[in-house]
Amino acid sequence: MRVCVIGAGLSGLAVGRALKERGISFVCLEKAPDVGGIWRQPGAGERGPGYQTLHLNTAKQLTGYADFPMPSSYPLYPRHSQVAAYLRSFAEWAGLLDHVELRTEVVSVRQDADGTWSVVSRDADGVESARRFEQVVVASGHHTDPALPDPLPPGAGSFTGTVLHSLDYRDGGDFAGRRAVVVGLGASAVDIAADLSRHAERTLLSVRRGLHVVPKQLFGMSVDEIAEAPWWNEMSFAERRRWVEQALLVARGRLSDYGLPEPDHPVFSSATTLSDEILSRIRHGAVIPKPAIASFDGDRVVFTDGSAEAADAVVYCTGFHMTFPFLPAGCPVAADGSVELYRRVVPAGRPGLYFVGLVRPVGAITRLVEAQAEWVARLVDGAAALPPVQEMREEIGTYLAGIVQRYGRTEGASIQVDVGPYLAQFRESLPV
């Protein structure tokens, strides 16, 4: 077998389609019982970020595959179960299901002396097997290793309530009548806080650092549609930043007016949070903003402003570690936490290993994933070629230096990309 694809979510299925279109033999290994990745609702005993109220934050026409649009009956921002059904229908349409081995977890990936790759996997019965491949494509994402404060605030061991990560959150109804604290201001934090506020007796949102909260639509357009519009990409970076800042003042005013900390950085210097709900829930008194947690004291959560509140549960929406335990140490994440990949796809000096979907755009990810997948397929069959290793390392260094200048040294910043400029990098390698 020539290629092993790891993961059968949006990215892995895009890779499978690209390989199949070029007649390249492959197998796709997926540890879950079905395709769909993070959009699947986890089953009993299964961990996963697919909570009940999870919806797309990007428009369906840009999040669906280019050759297989989402159904016209879907809303602009479909719920997770609709996205999961769509991804399965895509796999059926593209003839990929026969290539997917479900309930098969990848244990290790190592390069042998002859340049081939040895992939050890474990099936549902716990039986391990090893296979050799010419190439390996990692498309498994990075939403499996929850990041919690280490250590937790003082007194956490004595807290009488429940502490959990968003990875284990399922349904706001589970918190009916309870007092909950949600920690964070990212996408999952604002989603979960809004959901909880419809069930919990009291919902607090603990925010350590201000982020730019952006409505899903501005001037009647989905923000990811704006990000792909020709007029947007004709503007300079400074003009785009100024345009968004003015639009946000019109759409929502200052975040401090809602009791949230103002961001300590301009727009596009950190990840933004897309939400149409959280500011409204705050204005309606359903969600109460609080500063960072300082400590726990029995059933009480103490905040850095000295205030304290009784709580039954604390939900940490603090993201995920960038870990790939089946890969050699330092690949692709360096000691300083930076992801080191040429064109955000290829680790220099490891021929035959690729990563697809390990990017974080401002907007929909699908067109980027499709471009990556098509490029990888062309690299595999020789229609495209990589530059010398030193040239790849120089590109990685230049890219990461630009990231530090724009975002600072924050965990996860090294996978940030701008949709238009990033896609332009692949045009020279894609067929006309």
Side-chain angles (χ1 to χ4, degrees):
M1 191 70 70
R2 292 189 64 186
V3 182
C4 175
V5 180
I6 302 174
L10 184 144
S11 298
L13 295 177
V15 173
R17 168 94 193 288
L19 295 173
K20 192 170 188 293
E21 288 287 294
R22 303 190 75 83
I24 300 169
S25 62
F26 71 97
V27 64
C28 179
L29 307 182
E30 170 56 59
K31 68 178 180 180
D34 201 357
V35 302
I38 64 171
W39 297 103
R40 286 183 52 258
Q41 178 67 39
E46 186 185 354
R47 300 186 85 189
Y51 47 88
Q52 289 282 8
T53 56
L54 178 64
H55 283 69
L56 278 182
N57 271 343
T58 51
K60 67 175 181 180
Q61 61 267 32
L62 293 177
T63 311
Y65 298 106
D67 295 336
F68 190 78
M70 287 191 185
S72 58
S73 59
Y74 276 20
L76 184 62
Y77 303 108
R79 63 178 288 113
H80 68 87
S81 56
Q82 292 173 308
V83 180
Y86 163 77
L87 291 174
R88 181 167 181 83
S89 64
F90 171 80
E92 294 171 351
W93 170 80
L96 303 179
L97 293 179
D98 288 343
H99 297 266
V100 180
E101 294 183 15
L102 299 171
R103 303 180 187 273
T104 304
E105 181 178 6
V106 174
V107 177
S108 73
V109 176
R110 296 293 185 271
Q111 193 166 27
D112 297 325
D114 62 358
T116 62
W117 291 86
S118 178
V119 177
V120 178
S121 60
R122 182 187 300 123
D123 65 18
D125 297 321
V127 178
E128 292 189 1
S129 59
R131 284 173 277 187
R132 282 192 172 188
F133 297 90
E134 295 176 23
Q135 326 263 350
V136 174
V137 183
V138 180
S140 53
H142 62 284
H143 292 91
T144 55
D145 185 9
L148 286 167
D150 186 17
L152 288 169
S158 68
F159 180 53
T160 58
T162 304
V163 174
L164 67 155
H165 188 270
S166 60
L167 184 68
D168 297 305
Y169 178 86
R170 289 291 170 267
D171 185 5
D174 297 336
F175 296 80
R178 300 170 71 188
R179 300 157 299 183
V181 180
V182 178
V183 180
L185 195 61
S188 60
V190 297
D191 273 2
I192 288 172
D195 183 35
L196 271 174
S197 70
R198 294 181 170 85
H199 303 275
E201 176 185 317
R202 186 167 171 82
T203 303
L204 308 178
L205 181 63
S206 171
V207 180
R208 175 181 60 86
R209 175 176 180 251
L211 293 176
H212 291 280
V213 179
V214 179
K216 290 184 180 181
Q217 298 188 71
L218 291 171
F219 301 104
M221 294 180 64
S222 182
V223 291
D224 47 322
E225 291 181 281
I226 292 174
E228 294 208 358
W231 58 266
W232 171 264
N233 287 292
E234 288 170 1
M235 287 195 286
S236 68
F237 177 76
E239 289 171 332
R240 291 198 297 266
R241 173 177 277 168
R242 189 161 52 249
W243 187 92
V244 170
E245 289 173 343
Q246 293 300 311
L248 290 179
L249 282 175
V250 172
R252 46 129 240 242
R254 293 175 56 82
L255 290 175
S256 55
D257 293 337
Y258 299 83
L260 293 169
E262 289 290 343
D264 59 4
H265 54 278
V267 173
F268 303 141
S269 288
S270 181
T272 57
T273 297
L274 294 178
S275 176
D276 287 336
E277 278 201 287
I278 190 61
L279 298 182
S280 175
R281 298 303 290 168
I282 290 172
R283 279 280 165 89
H284 286 82
V287 174
I288 295 92
K290 301 292 286 186
I293 295 176
S295 62
F296 292 90
D297 182 13
D299 69 342
R300 296 170 69 78
V301 177
V302 182
F303 300 95
T304 53
D305 64 354
S307 64
E309 295 259 0
D312 302 298
V314 176
V315 185
Y316 277 96
C317 302
T318 42
F320 297 83
H321 293 298
M322 203 82 68
T323 54
F324 299 87
F326 50 84
L327 291 171
C331 177
V333 185
D336 66 356
S338 297
V339 175
E340 298 183 337
L341 294 172
Y342 172 68
R343 287 192 179 181
R344 328 290 71 79
V345 174
V346 182
R350 296 186 185 271
L353 181 62
Y354 311 97
F355 292 79
V356 170
L358 197 56
V359 288
R360 183 184 294 153
V362 178
I365 195 174
T366 310
R367 298 294 172 266
L368 280 58
V369 163
E370 289 179 305
Q372 289 179 328
E374 177 63 20
W375 185 53
V376 167
R378 289 170 63 78
L379 289 171
V380 170
D381 74 0
L386 291 170
V389 170
Q390 184 56 36
E391 187 175 327
M392 288 195 283
R393 287 183 173 141
E394 289 173 0
E395 188 269 0
I396 293 169
T398 299
Y399 166 77
L400 291 177
I403 285 292
V404 170
Q405 183 177 8
R406 178 168 162 183
Y407 296 100
R409 294 186 182 276
T410 59
E411 189 174 0
S414 61
I415 61 172
Q416 291 282 159
V417 295
D418 293 321
V419 174
Y422 185 64
L423 283 176
Q425 295 181 36
F426 292 97
R427 292 193 184 117
E428 67 195 59
S429 305
L430 295 177
V432 178

